[in-house]
Amino acid sequence: MTGLVHEPVFWTDDSAVCEPLAHGEDIAAHFHDFGQLRYAASGALVTATKVGTWVAPANRITWVPPFYVHSSRSYGETDVRLLRVPAALVEQLPTEPSVFVASALMREAYLAMIGDHDPADSPRARLLLEVVIAELARAPQEPLRLPEPSDTRLKAVTDLLHADPASPATLAELGHRTGSSERTLSRLFSSELSMSFHQWRTLLRIQRALLELCEGTSVTDTAIRLGWANPSSFIEAFTELVGQTPGRYRSAARAAHH
């Protein structure tokens, strides 16, 4: 999945996005004058901006601040529930997009608001929204933001990797394909993304692994599909970044689906 294309559109209405999304469906780059919470009741939602990519499998809530241009892609049959956050409550949440783990209380309050069709300014709707915001303020943030480059030389390389995360190509080989030297690219990864080529590709693969595991793919198949030499090196990298083993993550994600 690559970054943004076309001129972003200002949207005041999101009704089109509330329909279930098919696997691989794209939502074009746009922005709002309100904050937005996005919860995938099933499937998974990837949110891309100029500066980074955020992955939200089931049971995670993505926060997009007002005026932040974003595009999205669904993985699996994705049922997205969107919630507006009025300007008055926005300062309680981060200033850039974030992904949070949804507590049981947050999920129930969130889904009750969506299902109610009460006016947004009704006492019950306001109370439920306050519960959601209060729970978000203390929820753990997922550390899995994948930074995206603005330099065109670096973007040529990251686009190739987005298209094929399992590619075993070295930085020198990718540079050869895109017309830049390994040295230049290595310097750009460090200066622009504050990580090495290896770290960036690992993070991209881990993001994709979250999606594979949520779909029920086995840990071994996920490791092979995404280019790890063996399952144990995948388990080690995944656990270090996500804070739990892929097996436990997969079980929790599958439980959230049912």
Side-chain angles (χ1 to χ4, degrees):
M1 176 176 163
T2 56
L4 302 174
V5 289
H6 313 306
E7 276 301 300
V9 183
F10 174 60
W11 280 9
T12 53
D13 175 33
D14 273 323
S15 51
V17 187
C18 295
E19 303 300 311
L21 301 168
H23 173 72
E25 203 166 317
D26 287 308
I27 298 162
H30 65 282
F31 63 94
H32 320 270
D33 57 359
F34 51 86
Q36 187 186 70
L37 293 168
R38 333 170 85 204
Y39 174 70
S42 65
L45 192 67
V46 175
T47 301
T49 75
K50 270 211 308 280
V51 296
T53 303
W54 287 259
V55 167
N59 225 27
R60 302 294 189 278
I61 287 183
T62 306
W63 159 242
V64 181
F67 301 106
Y68 225 99
V69 176
H70 56 286
S71 61
S72 314
R73 172 172 280 192
S74 57
Y75 281 80
E77 276 282 322
T78 303
D79 181 6
V80 181
R81 314 290 176 88
L82 303 175
L83 195 57
R84 287 182 182 220
V85 178
L89 294 173
V90 161
E91 56 266 21
Q92 296 181 45
L93 295 170
T95 54
E96 70 166 20
S98 315
V99 173
F100 298 94
V101 180
S103 68
L105 175 60
M106 190 199 312
R107 192 171 64 244
E108 291 308 319
Y110 193 104
L111 294 175
M113 277 190 80
I114 301 282
D116 272 357
H117 306 298
D118 276 359
D121 57 354
S122 74
R124 185 168 186 268
R126 281 210 304 264
L127 190 60
L128 286 171
L129 183 57
E130 281 175 20
V131 169
V132 170
I133 301 290
E135 284 293 288
L136 276 176
R138 59 193 287 271
Q141 256 195 64
E142 289 277 11
L144 289 169
R145 168 183 175 254
L146 182 72
E148 297 292 352
S150 55
D151 187 287
T152 51
R153 293 165 294 179
L154 200 50
K155 197 172 175 322
V157 169
T158 57
D159 282 355
L160 286 175
L161 292 171
H162 271 295
D164 180 15
S167 165
T170 63
L171 189 54
E173 286 163 354
L174 290 166
H176 187 67
R177 283 167 65 185
T178 57
S180 298
S181 73
E182 180 183 11
R183 197 168 151 196
T184 299
L185 291 170
S186 181
R187 182 174 45 83
L188 286 169
F189 266 105
S190 176
S191 63
E192 198 172 329
L193 303 180
S194 303
M195 54 178 70
S196 69
F197 162 68
H198 175 71
Q199 286 171 316
W200 193 93
R201 181 164 63 183
T202 299
L203 189 48
L204 170 69
R205 287 176 174 180
I206 297 290
Q207 277 200 346
R208 292 299 172 87
L210 297 174
L211 301 170
E212 293 275 346
L213 294 167
C214 280
E215 286 292 294
T217 309
S218 75
V219 172
T220 302
D221 285 350
T222 299
I224 292 164
R225 222 182 260 195
L226 287 168
W228 268 277
N230 54 61
S232 59
S233 56
F234 164 57
I235 292 166
E236 194 178 314
F238 186 97
T239 308
E240 188 180 329
L241 280 167
V242 181
Q244 62 188 135
T245 65
R248 289 187 74 161
Y249 187 92
R250 180 179 181 272
S251 302
R254 299 307 286 163
H257 272 300
H258 301 304

